[in-house]
Coordinates of all heavy atoms in Angstrom, one line a residue:
P392 N -42.0 -3.2 40.2 CA -41.1 -4.3 40.7 C -41.1 -4.5 42.2 O -40.5 -5.4 42.7 CB -39.7 -3.9 40.1 CG -39.8 -2.4 40.1 CD -41.3 -2.1 39.7
G393 N -41.6 -3.5 42.9 CA -41.6 -3.5 44.4 C -40.2 -3.1 44.9 O -39.9 -3.6 46.0
I394 N -39.5 -2.3 44.2 CA -38.2 -1.8 44.7 C -38.2 -0.3 44.7 O -38.5 0.3 43.6 CB -37.0 -2.3 43.7 CG1 -37.1 -3.8 43.7 CG2 -35.7 -1.9 44.2 CD1 -36.1 -4.4 42.6
D395 N -37.8 0.3 45.8 CA -37.7 1.8 45.8 C -36.6 2.3 45.0 O -35.5 1.7 44.9 CB -37.4 2.2 47.3 CG -38.6 1.9 48.2 OD1 -39.8 1.8 47.7 OD2 -38.4 1.8 49.4
H396 N -36.8 3.5 44.3 CA -35.8 4.2 43.6 C -35.2 3.3 42.5 O -33.9 3.3 42.4 CB -34.7 4.7 44.5 CG -35.3 5.6 45.6 ND1 -35.5 6.9 45.5 CD2 -35.5 5.3 46.9 CE1 -36.0 7.4 46.6 NE2 -36.0 6.5 47.5
A397 N -36.0 2.6 41.8 CA -35.5 1.7 40.7 C -36.0 2.1 39.3 O -37.1 2.6 39.2 CB -35.9 0.3 41.0
S398 N -35.1 2.0 38.4 CA -35.4 2.2 37.0 C -35.7 0.8 36.3 O -35.0 -0.1 36.5 CB -34.3 2.9 36.2 OG -34.0 4.1 36.8
V399 N -36.8 0.7 35.5 CA -37.1 -0.5 34.8 C -36.8 -0.3 33.4 O -37.3 0.7 32.7 CB -38.6 -0.9 35.1 CG1 -38.9 -2.1 34.3 CG2 -38.9 -1.0 36.5
W400 N -36.0 -1.2 32.8 CA -35.6 -1.1 31.4 C -36.3 -2.3 30.7 O -36.3 -3.4 31.1 CB -34.1 -1.3 31.3 CG -33.3 -0.2 31.9 CD1 -33.3 0.1 33.3 CD2 -32.5 0.8 31.3 NE1 -32.4 1.1 33.5 CE2 -31.9 1.6 32.4 CE3 -32.1 1.0 30.0 CZ2 -31.1 2.6 32.1 CZ3 -31.2 2.1 29.7 CH2 -30.7 2.8 30.7
L401 N -36.8 -2.0 29.5 CA -37.4 -3.0 28.6 C -36.8 -2.9 27.2 O -36.9 -1.8 26.6 CB -38.9 -2.9 28.5 CG -39.7 -3.8 27.6 CD1 -39.5 -5.3 28.1 CD2 -41.2 -3.5 27.5
D402 N -36.1 -3.9 26.7 CA -35.5 -3.9 25.4 C -34.5 -2.7 25.3 O -34.4 -2.0 24.3 CB -36.5 -3.8 24.3 CG -37.4 -5.0 24.3 OD1 -36.9 -6.1 24.7 OD2 -38.6 -4.9 23.9
G403 N -33.8 -2.4 26.4 CA -32.7 -1.4 26.4 C -33.2 0.0 26.6 O -32.4 0.9 26.6
A404 N -34.5 0.3 26.9 CA -35.0 1.6 27.2 C -35.7 1.7 28.5 O -36.4 0.7 28.9 CB -35.9 2.0 26.0
V405 N -35.6 2.8 29.2 CA -36.3 3.0 30.4 C -37.8 3.2 30.1 O -38.1 3.9 29.2 CB -35.8 4.2 31.2 CG1 -36.6 4.4 32.5 CG2 -34.3 4.0 31.6
V406 N -38.6 2.5 30.9 CA -40.1 2.6 30.7 C -40.8 2.9 32.0 O -40.2 2.7 33.1 CB -40.7 1.2 30.1 CG1 -40.0 0.9 28.7 CG2 -40.4 0.1 31.0
D407 N -42.0 3.4 31.9 CA -42.9 3.4 33.0 C -43.5 2.1 33.2 O -44.3 1.6 32.4 CB -44.0 4.5 32.8 CG -45.0 4.6 33.9 OD1 -44.9 3.8 34.9 OD2 -45.8 5.6 33.9
P408 N -43.2 1.3 34.3 CA -43.7 0.0 34.4 C -45.2 -0.2 34.4 O -45.7 -1.2 34.0 CB -43.0 -0.6 35.6 CG -42.7 0.7 36.4 CD -42.3 1.7 35.4
A409 N -45.9 0.9 34.9 CA -47.3 0.8 35.0 C -48.0 0.9 33.6 O -49.2 0.6 33.5 CB -47.8 1.9 35.9
M410 N -47.2 1.3 32.6 CA -47.8 1.5 31.3 C -47.5 0.3 30.4 O -47.8 0.3 29.2 CB -47.2 2.7 30.6 CG -47.5 4.0 31.5 SD -49.3 4.3 31.7 CE -49.8 4.6 30.1
V411 N -46.9 -0.7 30.9 CA -46.5 -1.9 30.1 C -47.4 -3.1 30.4 O -47.6 -3.4 31.6 CB -45.0 -2.2 30.3 CG1 -44.6 -3.5 29.5 CG2 -44.1 -1.0 29.8
D412 N -47.8 -3.9 29.4 CA -48.4 -5.2 29.6 C -47.2 -6.2 29.7 O -46.7 -6.6 28.7 CB -49.3 -5.5 28.5 CG -50.0 -6.9 28.6 OD1 -49.7 -7.6 29.7 OD2 -50.7 -7.3 27.7
W413 N -47.0 -6.7 30.9 CA -45.9 -7.6 31.2 C -46.2 -9.0 31.0 O -45.3 -9.9 31.2 CB -45.4 -7.4 32.6 CG -44.9 -6.0 32.9 CD1 -45.5 -5.0 33.5 CD2 -43.6 -5.5 32.5 NE1 -44.7 -3.8 33.5 CE2 -43.5 -4.1 33.0 CE3 -42.5 -6.0 31.9 CZ2 -42.4 -3.3 32.7 CZ3 -41.4 -5.2 31.6 CH2 -41.3 -3.9 32.1
S414 N -47.4 -9.4 30.7 CA -47.9 -10.8 30.7 C -47.1 -11.6 29.7 O -46.9 -12.8 30.0 CB -49.4 -10.8 30.4 OG -49.6 -10.2 29.1
A415 N -46.6 -11.1 28.6 CA -45.9 -11.8 27.6 C -44.5 -11.5 27.5 O -43.8 -11.9 26.5 CB -46.6 -11.7 26.2
V416 N -44.0 -10.7 28.4 CA -42.6 -10.3 28.4 C -41.6 -11.3 29.0 O -41.9 -11.8 30.1 CB -42.4 -8.9 29.1 CG1 -40.9 -8.5 29.2 CG2 -43.2 -7.8 28.4
S417 N -40.6 -11.6 28.3 CA -39.6 -12.6 28.8 C -38.6 -11.9 29.7 O -38.3 -10.8 29.5 CB -38.9 -13.3 27.6 OG -39.8 -13.9 26.7
P418 N -38.1 -12.7 30.7 CA -37.1 -12.0 31.6 C -35.9 -11.4 31.0 O -35.4 -10.4 31.4 CB -36.7 -13.2 32.5 CG -37.9 -14.2 32.4 CD -38.4 -14.0 31.1
W419 N -35.4 -12.1 29.9 CA -34.1 -11.6 29.2 C -34.3 -10.2 28.7 O -33.3 -9.5 28.4 CB -33.6 -12.6 28.2 CG -34.6 -12.8 27.0 CD1 -35.6 -13.8 26.9 CD2 -34.7 -12.1 25.8 NE1 -36.2 -13.7 25.7 CE2 -35.7 -12.6 25.0 CE3 -33.9 -11.0 25.3 CZ2 -36.0 -12.2 23.8 CZ3 -34.3 -10.5 24.0 CH2 -35.3 -11.1 23.3
R420 N -35.5 -9.7 28.4 CA -35.8 -8.4 27.9 C -35.8 -7.3 28.9 O -35.9 -6.1 28.6 CB -37.2 -8.4 27.1 CG -37.2 -9.4 26.0 CD -38.6 -9.4 25.4 NE -39.1 -8.1 25.0 CZ -40.4 -7.8 24.7 NH1 -41.3 -8.8 24.8 NH2 -40.7 -6.6 24.3
V421 N -35.8 -7.7 30.2 CA -36.0 -6.7 31.3 C -34.7 -6.6 32.1 O -34.0 -7.5 32.4 CB -37.1 -7.3 32.2 CG1 -37.4 -6.2 33.3 CG2 -38.4 -7.6 31.4

């Protein structure tokens, strides 16, 4: 996300953003 010290959540769970294919992910899920 380009933010220091940030946690990224997808569908209510913390994820490693580098391991996710974000191309079809809607904003409301993040």
Side-chain angles (χ1 to χ4, degrees):
I394 304 173
D395 293 336
H396 304 279
S398 300
V399 179
W400 299 64
L401 178 61
D402 298 329
V405 176
V406 297
D407 179 350
M410 303 302 294
V411 175
D412 179 3
W413 298 100
S414 58
V416 174
S417 301
W419 62 268
R420 298 173 58 193
V421 183

